Amino acid sequence: EAQVTQNPRYLITVTGKKLTVTCSQNMNHEYMSWYRQDPGLGLRQIYYSMNVEVTDKGDVPEGYKVSRKEKRNFPLILESPSPNQTSLYFCASSAGRNQPQHFGDGTRLSIL
Amino acid sequence: ILNVEQSPQSLHVQEGDSTNFTCSFPSSNFYALHWYRWETAKSPEALFVMTLNGDEKKKGRISATLNTKEGYSYLYIKGSQPEDSATYLCAFNGGATNKLIFGTGTLLAVQP
């Protein structure tokens, strides 16, 4: 089954404790993205990647890192999480710029 | 700063009513316009990706039109059903990157 898998689905952690949210897709898609969803603000793109070893900043990259060492994986790293990064995060992949995005189930992060 | 605006913010209709929403986006450097349907507690699902001015797409009772010269797209739902209740998101992709700018969505509630 074609899917985008995010882990964990839920995480409560404390300020400053490094965390990684993994994202994996099995559709051989070149494009992958991370978004955060906050009430009243809609989905905002954090980082995106157009291919292996090619990543670029979205609208809200501050406080986040990503890597794309393999085509299928696109982890989101919070080196020193802060409470303002409490949010619902989505990973997505697509076959191209004019192709639909396939979203993972989301990861709800709470930073205390 | 690129802006994507959707209206109305929310809409309450009766079962059987037909309805439409608007997505406004920058009219320069257009590449693609996406529409997604987002049900509560789920992840966004792609409806359409539109790339050509004047394009019309249809999926069942849902259809969309695109005007890239004036920077707007309409989404139509014919004969709304309670299962159509969701947030409908549009997203603009322009320039030479995979940066995707989402609107804040239109929340549709269909009363039986």
Side-chain angles (χ1 to χ4, degrees):
Chain A
E1 182 192 347
Q3 58 187 4
V4 178
T5 304
Q6 295 178 227
N7 279 298
R9 293 290 314 282
Y10 304 92
L11 180 64
I12 301 174
T13 188
V14 296
T15 299
K17 187 176 179 182
K18 180 180 177 179
L19 68 92
T20 299
V21 185
T22 63
C23 174
S24 181
Q25 50 95 3
N26 63 0
M27 295 168 278
N28 201 35
H29 284 168
E30 289 188 350
Y31 291 76
M32 297 187 75
S33 293
W34 275 104
Y35 300 90
R36 61 178 287 175
Q37 159 68 25
D38 300 292
L41 294 177
L43 280 168
R44 293 182 293 167
Q45 197 170 37
I46 303 170
Y47 269 95
Y48 59 94
S49 168
M50 294 201 282
N51 213 328
V52 174
E53 302 292 2
V54 180
T55 63
D56 212 341
K57 296 178 181 178
D59 281 333
V60 288
E62 296 78 20
Y64 304 95
K65 282 174 57 177
V66 291
S67 69
R68 189 91 183 274
K69 291 185 170 58
E70 307 163 283
K71 201 171 189 178
R72 63 183 292 123
N73 296 323
F74 191 44
L76 180 70
I77 303 155
L78 286 71
E79 293 271 5
S80 183
S82 61
N84 64 12
Q85 293 176 298
T86 293
S87 189
L88 176 61
Y89 291 85
F90 285 100
C91 179
S93 73
S94 69
R97 287 183 63 195
N98 60 354
Q99 299 298 313
Q101 305 249 320
H102 297 257
F103 285 84
D105 288 336
T107 295
R108 191 165 288 282
L109 284 183
S110 294
I111 317 290
L112 305 177
Chain B
I1 295 177
L2 299 176
N3 218 22
V4 176
E5 297 189 358
Q6 293 188 244
S7 62
Q9 201 169 4
S10 64
L11 198 53
H12 294 253
V13 301
Q14 292 295 125
E15 184 175 353
D17 288 350
S18 292
T19 186
N20 65 85
F21 336 125
T22 305
C23 174
S24 301
F25 52 85
S27 55
S28 59
N29 292 322
F30 176 87
Y31 190 84
L33 193 281
H34 297 227
W35 280 102
Y36 293 87
R37 180 172 177 275
W38 192 2
E39 288 183 71
T40 303
K42 294 187 177 181
S43 50
E45 288 183 0
L47 288 172
F48 308 113
V49 180
M50 308 174 81
T51 57
L52 298 175
N53 184 44
D55 210 3
E56 290 189 31
K57 296 215 172 183
K58 188 174 180 182
K59 184 186 281 190
R61 293 178 292 99
I62 305 177
S63 59
T65 61
L66 180 67
N67 183 325
T68 61
K69 294 189 189 314
E70 294 179 50
Y72 65 83
S73 175
Y74 294 136
L75 189 79
Y76 301 91
I77 302 180
K78 187 177 176 182
S80 303
Q81 301 296 308
E83 58 264 32
D84 295 329
S85 298
T87 296
Y88 291 84
L89 299 170
C90 68
F92 167 81
N93 177 228
T97 72
N98 198 36
K99 202 168 182 178
L100 205 56
I101 312 291
F102 278 83
T104 52
T106 293
L107 174 62
L108 174 67
V110 182
Q111 307 274 37

